[in-house]
Amino acid sequence: QVQLVESGGGLVQAGGSLRLSCAASGLIFSINAMGWYRQAPGKQRELVADITSGGMTNYADSVKGRFTISRDNAKNTMYLQMNSLKPEDTAVYYCNAAVLTLRQMRVNDYWGQGTQVTVSS
């Protein structure tokens, strides 16, 4: 009963920028941590950045200084501002959220459908 909808992916040249959005909807009591993951062909899904309900952030070393994660709790929406993009950033980016639902009143883990980010050289 919780859905995560991602948007903002696309094709961009190296050095360019993209802004990803993830909107959560459904029978939500509260959202704990949220995060962005990415998966390139032949590689494991890896954490890019995450953020707590209070706004504390964590980044993978490969994106520090280039990406910024944020959230708007009133809108149940998370963002990832990606600057100075590199070809190695090319991947499918997934939204993840730990959600306390109204129905079961327990925390469940949800994933978005993914959005493709392609960075050309």
Side-chain angles (χ1 to χ4, degrees):
Q1 293 185 325
V2 176
Q3 299 82 41
L4 303 179
V5 179
E6 297 158 295
S7 61
L11 175 65
V12 65
Q13 290 187 333
S17 298
L18 287 172
R19 185 179 186 244
L20 306 183
S21 298
C22 172
S25 62
L27 299 180
I28 298 169
F29 184 84
S30 64
I31 302 177
N32 296 336
M34 302 182 76
W36 288 99
Y37 292 73
R38 67 186 182 187
Q39 187 168 24
K43 294 186 177 182
Q44 293 188 34
R45 188 172 299 187
E46 64 176 355
L47 176 68
V48 177
D50 58 19
I51 184 168
T52 69
S53 60
M56 292 185 292
T57 60
N58 176 63
Y59 297 91
D61 289 341
S62 59
V63 307
K64 287 180 179 177
R66 300 188 298 120
F67 292 8
T68 302
I69 189 171
S70 62
R71 63 191 287 174
D72 186 335
N73 291 334
K75 297 180 179 180
N76 286 332
T77 301
M78 177 179 64
Y79 308 94
L80 185 68
Q81 179 66 46
M82 304 186 293
N83 298 326
S84 301
L85 283 162
K86 304 175 181 179
E88 51 262 44
D89 295 319
T90 296
V92 178
Y93 284 70
Y94 296 91
C95 175
N96 175 261
V99 181
L100 180 62
T101 64
L102 290 170
R103 183 173 182 177
Q104 294 188 333
M105 293 302 293
R106 70 192 311 173
V107 176
N108 291 314
D109 198 52
Y110 292 90
W111 290 91
Q113 77 286 352
T115 184
Q116 177 70 47
V117 172
T118 302
V119 184
S120 62
S121 60

